[in-house]
Amino acid sequence: MTQVMIPSKEHQVQLIRDVPDEVSSMNLYRDRLRLQQIHIVHLEFRITHPAPGIPEKLIHEMFYHSQGASREGLGLYMCQKLVKIMNGTVQYVREAEKSSFIILIEFPLALRTDC
């Protein structure tokens, strides 16, 4: 969050963080030795902007790599692939008033209680 706060303010982008207090104050570590304490963490990021949203051509370039892709399309494609490597998914949803990228990632994380 701290890495994107300043750039979002500079570009007048509203950033909304909806994290329960008990989660934001937890110390979380990966720990393969304590399998009985492993939890699955579900992260969802939404990037929303006003309609009409991103052009259809860019959305196509995000999911299907081609030689003639634009710089923006190639950047979106690479980001989508990185999310996929992290066992996540990216969706782009168009609605009447807004459009959104929805990024879902799930990964195992162990809670360490001896800190």
Side-chain angles (χ1 to χ4, degrees):
M1 287 298 291
T2 57
Q3 293 178 342
V4 297
M5 291 299 281
I6 293 172
S8 67
K9 286 181 183 177
E10 289 174 355
H11 292 91
Q12 298 178 342
V13 173
Q14 182 183 12
L15 190 60
I16 300 170
R17 181 179 70 170
D18 185 13
V19 178
D21 290 337
E22 63 272 8
V23 171
S24 62
S25 63
M26 292 172 73
N27 290 319
L28 299 172
Y29 302 89
R30 288 185 178 237
D31 188 346
R32 295 179 190 253
L33 299 175
R34 299 179 183 194
L35 294 176
Q36 71 277 7
Q37 295 180 2
I38 293 224
H39 305 286
I40 300 295
V41 174
H42 305 272
L43 297 178
E44 178 178 312
F45 300 94
R46 286 182 181 252
I47 303 167
T48 303
H49 43 90
I54 294 178
E56 191 62 41
K57 181 179 185 243
L58 274 179
I59 298 302
H60 182 77
E61 290 176 357
M62 181 171 101
F63 293 104
Y64 305 102
H65 180 65
S66 66
Q67 292 289 9
S70 65
R71 292 171 96 184
E72 295 86 359
L74 182 58
L76 288 170
Y77 178 78
M78 290 169 56
C79 291
Q80 181 265 139
K81 284 297 191 184
L82 287 171
V83 169
K84 200 171 187 176
I85 288 169
M86 296 188 305
N87 295 320
T89 60
V90 177
Q91 299 174 339
Y92 190 73
V93 178
R94 290 184 195 274
E95 298 175 286
E97 304 270 327
K98 62 184 178 182
S99 296
S100 303
F101 285 104
I102 303 171
I103 300 127
L104 300 169
I105 300 174
E106 292 184 359
F107 58 92
L109 208 60
L111 176 61
R112 221 170 121 175
T113 56
D114 59 348
C115 297

